[in-house]
Amino acid sequence: MRRAVLLTAVLTCVIMLAYSQGYKGQGRAAGLVTDESGKPLEGVAVKLYSVKGQSGFETKTNAKGEWRALYIRGGAWNIDLEKDGYMPRKLAVNLKEYDRNPAIEVSLERIEGLVILEALKENVDVGNRLFAEQRYEEAAKVFEDIVTGDENAYMFHKNLGNCYFQLQDYERAERHYLRVLEKEPANAEIMLLIGNTYSNRDDQAKALEWYGKIELDKLTDATALFNIANSFFSRSSFEEALTYSRRGLEVQPDSTDLLHLTGLIQLSLDRKPGAIEAFERYLKLDPDSPRAGQVRNFLEVLKK
């Protein structure tokens, strides 16, 4: 009996260890955190949580504002960045395990007139945890209490908007994003999020109107740039589509989605050299997928 109890205890420990390190893999990620002026921020807490692995870990930025994460699995990750005196940021990213991930560059805004008390910070942590666990209605309630309890906590309307976005209540999400924009009319991230609400409502014209408000160099999310380029492409606005796809490739040169789209755009503009270059770069990265066969057919026709 004692042996059975001991064996059960050992197995339980093994299972718990495996669960606690579910984020482990062969990938790596890195990032840079700066303030609004571009100055590197040291000591920023970077909390990484693997959605698929249901576990994560924390690291901090060095004197150059840089952080690294080694031996991680691929898939969806939630990343929280926190530093006293700055508005916290929450990111949702997809990381590759066997390909290079582009550096994740983020700027934190200094908080003016708001001191995040420990009690408030605890509530924010609870809301972020519920969001990471995909318990969006519960997370929304937490953030609703935060923004209702302190008018200076306007920045958490973004978190609240993100909850409603995940619940596919895009109109309510937009209303909360706009509350942030009232205080920060030049906030590029919020403009992007509002554009996304219209994109998901199949109102591409309005989505592109919001995307167009953002300075091109402020867009550093390759997925967002692909979506914007694809929206222009679907409306046959090829020059605009090319502008955003090229910017996307500056951010993530090895994005096969962006390379494929860029090739199609160049093809639509009848710019054969540009299409050939994009498609050839694509094949170097993805030679075996079903889409690669289509790309080879394009190249065969273009080179005749």
Side-chain angles (χ1 to χ4, degrees), residues 73-78 92-97 101-102 104 223 252:
R73 71 185 303 164
W77 283 75
N78 292 320
V93 300
N94 280 295
L95 298 176
K96 300 176 183 179
E97 186 165 354
N101 289 300
I104 301 170
T223 300
Q252 187 173 346

Side-chain angles (χ1 to χ4, degrees), residues 10-20:
V10 171
L11 287 173
T12 300
C13 289
V14 171
I15 291 170
M16 289 179 65
L17 179 61
Y19 184 79
S20 67

Side-chain angles (χ1 to χ4, degrees), residues 65-76:
E66 299 170 340
W67 61 267
R68 295 184 182 279
L70 306 178
Y71 304 110
I72 58 173
R73 71 185 303 164

Side-chain angles (χ1 to χ4, degrees), residues 71-208:
Y71 304 110
I72 58 173
R73 71 185 303 164
W77 283 75
N78 292 320
I79 304 178
D80 295 323
L81 301 105
E82 299 175 359
K83 181 177 175 63
D84 288 342
Y86 292 84
M87 187 170 73
R89 289 284 301 272
K90 181 177 182 65
L91 309 175
V93 300
N94 280 295
L95 298 176
K96 300 176 183 179
E97 186 165 354
Y98 298 104
D99 291 328
R100 185 177 65 83
N101 289 300
I104 301 170
E105 299 185 7
V106 178
S107 64
L108 298 185
E109 299 177 30
R110 182 174 289 281
I111 297 174
E112 300 291 347
L114 172 64
V115 177
I116 298 184
L117 302 176
E118 193 60 33
L120 177 59
K121 185 177 183 300
E122 288 178 6
N123 289 338
V124 172
D125 288 342
V126 170
N128 286 339
R129 177 177 57 79
L130 290 169
F131 187 92
E133 294 172 356
Q134 301 181 23
R135 296 159 63 183
Y136 302 122
E137 291 182 355
E138 295 173 66
K141 180 63 171 64
V142 173
F143 288 117
E144 189 77 59
D145 290 342
I146 290 172
V147 298
T148 302
D150 189 341
E151 64 178 14
N152 291 316
Y154 69 88
M155 72 282 296
F156 296 109
H157 278 284
K158 186 190 82 168
N159 301 66
L160 192 50
N162 289 343
C163 292
Y164 287 122
F165 188 93
Q166 293 297 330
L167 290 167
Q168 299 182 27
D169 190 343
Y170 301 119
E171 290 185 10
R172 188 178 292 185
E174 181 194 4
R175 287 202 296 271
H176 286 288
Y177 293 145
L178 285 170
R179 292 292 298 275
V180 181
L181 213 59
E182 289 173 4
K183 300 284 188 178
E184 303 175 14
N187 191 315
E189 181 186 13
I190 296 298
M191 293 180 197
L192 177 64
L193 292 172
I194 295 174
N196 291 344
T197 69
Y198 281 101
S199 180
N200 281 29
R201 283 180 273 181
D202 294 322
D203 188 344
Q204 296 304 318
K206 196 68 175 178
L208 292 175

Side-chain angles (χ1 to χ4, degrees), residues 2 39 88 149 256:
R2 289 180 61 190
K39 180 181 177 182
T256 53

